[in-house]
Amino acid sequence: MSVEQAGVKQVSDAARPSKVQQLSGTILTPQGWVSGVISFAEKIESIQADLTPTNAKEAIYILPGFIDLHVHGAGGKDTMEADGAIEVISRMHAQHGTTSMLATTMTAPMSDLENALKALSSVCEQRQSGAARVLGVHLEGPYINPGKLGAQPDFAHAGSIEQVKHLNAIAPIKLITLAPEVEGNLSMVSQLTALGMRVQLGHTLGTYEDGVAALENGASSFTHLYNAMSRLDHRAPGMVGAALAHANFAEIIPDLLHVHPGAIKAALRAIPKLYCVTDSTSASGMPDGDYMLGRQVVHKCLGGVRLADGTLAGSTLTMDQALRNLVKIGLELDDASKRVSTYAADFLGLSDRGRLQQEAYADLVVLDRDLNLIAVYIEGEKIELEDA
């Protein structure tokens, strides 16, 4: 789909929803489930309980819109591209209930990162009609361990606070993934947090002690938990051990391919605010074949995305499927909802997203009893679903 085909346009102040809309159903609020009516324009105005009995077969669920903090692409487009790629990506994810997201870059030469952030800058400032809100950038590298690249290209190097400041001046960086054991990176963690950025540990061969030291210096999460990090052993706990023992937040890819359900359940017991990401690539929403992930060619086949050597290279997961997968492995719907929405908002310090309450943005998804999407609203705008 080209940008022209996508019909992208910016949401001007005049086009922002001003007329109050209402939906009725079983509504998930921070206080629990409410059977009633939610009223909203750009923001939620009220949630009123309705004592009228509901026909269970016709009941719908109204949940907070999904928040995805690790998005590389979709619809054949990659975030490292220019020429309207992010508009296509953010529109495709909106079709699956993602109401806000972080555009995620790849490890790359500085010139590539500069060009990518220039293309992301305008959509970070103003949401596109029909598209998810791009909250900012997740810089995944280049400050990672070259010995644990995963699907990242081989352009890793030690951290530079001046480089980060330079890139942040182009487009707002909200989150950075780095390897704390790389020389100079640990001392940079506190500098990054002082700039208001969140720091995640990932693509790392660091020890348990490296992870604990980074958390003590201000790091606050782990990138795609279990994947591309030193493993847990009972005598050498590794970065996974540091996460399970000490983290309050961590992201995980619940496509049931990157992480076994049993390992997801272990993380759920250990990490209070474990939240889900897609790590989606340009292959998301596309047929099997070859696609780009940064400078790498990846192949989509049988629902997975891999490099030529078989290494997993992101996913084709969407957040609505992530929710269904969590419920499939045994989570209650209210718990699953928090892990695809609320906890990601909490991690970024956003109190006006990821929850259905008065004065929060009217970011919401409407699901049937089988958890299929019926409708999506982003800041009060109803998104026209292509399959509806």
Side-chain angles (χ1 to χ4, degrees):
M1 181 190 297
S2 70
V3 177
E4 291 76 13
Q5 290 172 322
V8 172
K9 60 180 182 295
Q10 291 187 330
V11 180
S12 67
D13 290 337
R16 297 184 191 280
S18 56
K19 183 179 179 181
V20 175
Q21 306 173 74
Q22 291 187 329
L23 291 172
S24 61
T26 305
I27 306 164
L28 183 57
T29 74
Q31 292 75 39
W33 293 104
V34 172
S35 179
V37 178
I38 183 169
S39 302
F40 59 93
E42 183 181 12
K43 292 191 173 184
I44 296 170
E45 298 198 353
S46 66
I47 298 174
Q48 300 291 332
D50 183 356
L51 300 181
T52 304
T54 301
N55 185 331
K57 292 183 178 180
E58 297 177 358
I60 60 173
Y61 297 113
I62 302 174
L63 306 179
F66 308 138
I67 300 176
D68 192 350
L69 305 188
H70 198 140
V71 177
H72 287 289
K77 297 293 184 179
D78 185 272
T79 56
M80 297 299 291
E81 298 178 47
D83 301 325
I86 188 59
E87 287 88 346
V88 173
I89 294 165
S90 56
R91 285 178 62 86
M92 183 274 185
H93 283 285
Q95 291 286 316
H96 292 274
T98 295
T99 54
S100 52
M101 54 177 271
L102 292 183
T104 305
T105 59
M106 292 289 286
T107 294
M110 184 57 58
S111 59
D112 286 11
L113 291 170
E114 289 173 340
N115 290 335
L117 266 65
K118 287 175 184 176
L120 296 172
S121 178
S122 62
V123 294
C124 291
E125 293 174 356
Q126 192 166 31
R127 187 176 69 84
Q128 311 296 301
S129 180
R133 165 71 67 178
V134 180
L135 297 168
V137 175
H138 174 177
L139 199 68
E140 190 181 12
Y143 314 127
I144 60 177
N145 194 315
K148 204 64 170 176
L149 292 171
Q152 296 280 342
D154 192 8
F155 296 101
H157 58 83
S160 164
I161 195 68
E162 295 307 318
Q163 280 186 356
V164 174
K165 288 180 178 178
H166 171 67
L167 293 172
N168 189 53
I170 301 173
I173 298 172
K174 301 297 184 181
L175 174 59
I176 296 182
T177 292
L178 57 74
E181 74 278 9
V182 173
E183 186 176 358
N185 281 6
L186 182 60
S187 62
M188 195 169 75
V189 171
S190 60
Q191 295 175 283
L192 294 171
T193 56
L195 292 172
M197 301 174 191
R198 301 296 193 267
V199 177
Q200 287 189 164
L201 309 180
H203 289 278
T204 169
L205 289 170
T207 63
Y208 169 88
E209 290 76 15
D210 291 327
V212 171
L215 291 171
E216 290 174 345
N217 277 269
S220 50
S221 185
F222 293 77
T223 298
H224 40 55
L225 183 66
Y226 296 112
N227 297 110
M229 63 178 62
S230 45
R231 296 182 176 184
L232 172 68
D233 181 87
H234 63 295
R235 292 193 179 92
M239 199 60 64
V240 170
L244 297 178
H246 300 285
N248 190 41
F249 291 99
E251 60 168 60
I252 199 163
I253 308 169
D255 61 353
L256 309 185
L257 180 63
H258 278 78
V259 184
H260 188 281
I264 296 176
K265 291 179 180 180
L268 286 166
R269 294 189 67 169
I271 301 173
K273 293 191 173 184
L274 185 75
Y275 59 90
C276 298
V277 297
T278 62
D279 198 4
S280 61
T281 65
S282 60
S284 297
M286 301 296 287
D288 287 355
D290 291 336
Y291 299 92
M292 297 304 297
L293 178 60
R295 290 191 172 203
Q296 307 264 59
V297 176
V298 297
H299 185 73
K300 177 184 177 181
C301 182
L302 300 176
V305 185
R306 298 179 185 271
L307 299 179
D309 65 4
T311 301
L312 281 171
S315 83
T316 61
L317 184 66
T318 55
M319 289 299 271
D320 58 336
Q321 186 60 51
L323 178 78
R324 290 189 288 270
N325 286 350
L326 292 180
V327 172
K328 178 182 178 180
I329 67 172
L331 275 70
E332 295 294 333
L333 181 56
D334 56 346
D335 187 17
S337 174
K338 292 174 184 176
R339 299 183 189 281
V340 295
S341 184
T342 311
Y343 293 156
D346 291 347
F347 176 59
L348 291 184
L350 302 176
S351 60
D352 55 2
R353 297 187 191 272
R355 65 211 81 221
L356 302 183
Q357 63 185 22
Q358 193 172 21
E359 291 303 312
Y361 281 103
D363 294 342
L364 52 92
V365 293
V366 183
L367 307 171
D368 65 19
R369 301 296 287 186
D370 295 320
L371 306 185
N372 297 308
L373 275 178
I374 297 173
V376 178
Y377 293 81
I378 302 178
E379 297 173 4
E381 178 194 6
K382 185 174 183 180
I383 305 303
E384 296 301 324
L385 300 183
E386 293 175 1
D387 295 331

